[in-house]
Amino acid sequence: MTETEQNRTQNPEETVAPSRRTTKRGGGDPASRGRTTIADGVVEKIAGLAARDVVGVHAMGSGISRTFGAVRERVPGTSKSVTRGVKAEVGEVQTALDLEIVVDYGVSIADVARAVRENVIAGVERMTGLEVVEVNIAVSDVKLPEEEEEEPEQPRIQ
């Protein structure tokens, strides 16, 4: 056998003409071909909805932000702000959240906070793939049963 024949036997791919060689396109795992960024607002929405799902959470945000939110919601074309009372700091693989909640009177604040934390972490991690490193919860108020909902005054001009 000549040297050329030995090379062909040892490396059969070399015998194929260069125009017929098959090449893998974009080598590697498709999940690693690019970067995904998630905006703070996206994480804030997910966390806000997850926190509101917990029994015992009456509202989100401080009294002032709830009052402004109620006024803003009366403007035609606007909707309820699901991010009220939620602040997120989002990195490439991790996120940290600060929540401000109002709880219903009579519930265990510790139990509500624990449930909020668990629900928020599960929702954010499942939907975004980010690791939630902390969820800080500030209870800004307790909703008493006899308290009326904060409603802004009706505008005099319709």
Side-chain angles (χ1 to χ4, degrees), residues 9-64:
T9 310
Q10 290 173 355
N11 195 351
E13 194 172 297
E14 293 297 321
T15 61
V16 178
S19 62
R20 294 193 172 218
R21 284 189 186 149
T22 57
T23 57
K24 282 189 165 182
R25 298 195 187 273
D29 179 26
S32 65
R33 295 185 207 168
R35 198 172 92 182
T36 303
T37 56
I38 300 171
D40 293 1
V42 171
V43 175
E44 290 169 356
K45 281 184 179 182
I46 295 167
L49 290 170
R52 283 175 175 79
D53 283 345
V54 175
V55 174
V57 174
H58 178 74
M60 301 288 295
S62 66
I64 293 171

Side-chain angles (χ1 to χ4, degrees), residues 136-154:
N136 300 311
I137 298 173
V139 179
S140 62
D141 201 359
V142 174
K143 168 67 172 78
L144 300 175
E146 65 273 0
E147 286 180 339
E148 291 183 25
E149 288 296 315
E150 294 175 8
E151 291 285 329
E153 291 183 26
Q154 291 291 340

Side-chain angles (χ1 to χ4, degrees), residues 4 6 8 15 19 23 44 46 54-56 58 69 71 73 78 95 98 101 103 110 145-146:
T4 308
Q6 282 179 342
R8 286 185 190 152
T15 61
S19 62
T23 57
E44 290 169 356
I46 295 167
V54 175
V55 174
H58 178 74
V71 171
E73 288 167 13
T78 61
T95 186
D98 295 323
I101 65 173
V103 297
E146 65 273 0

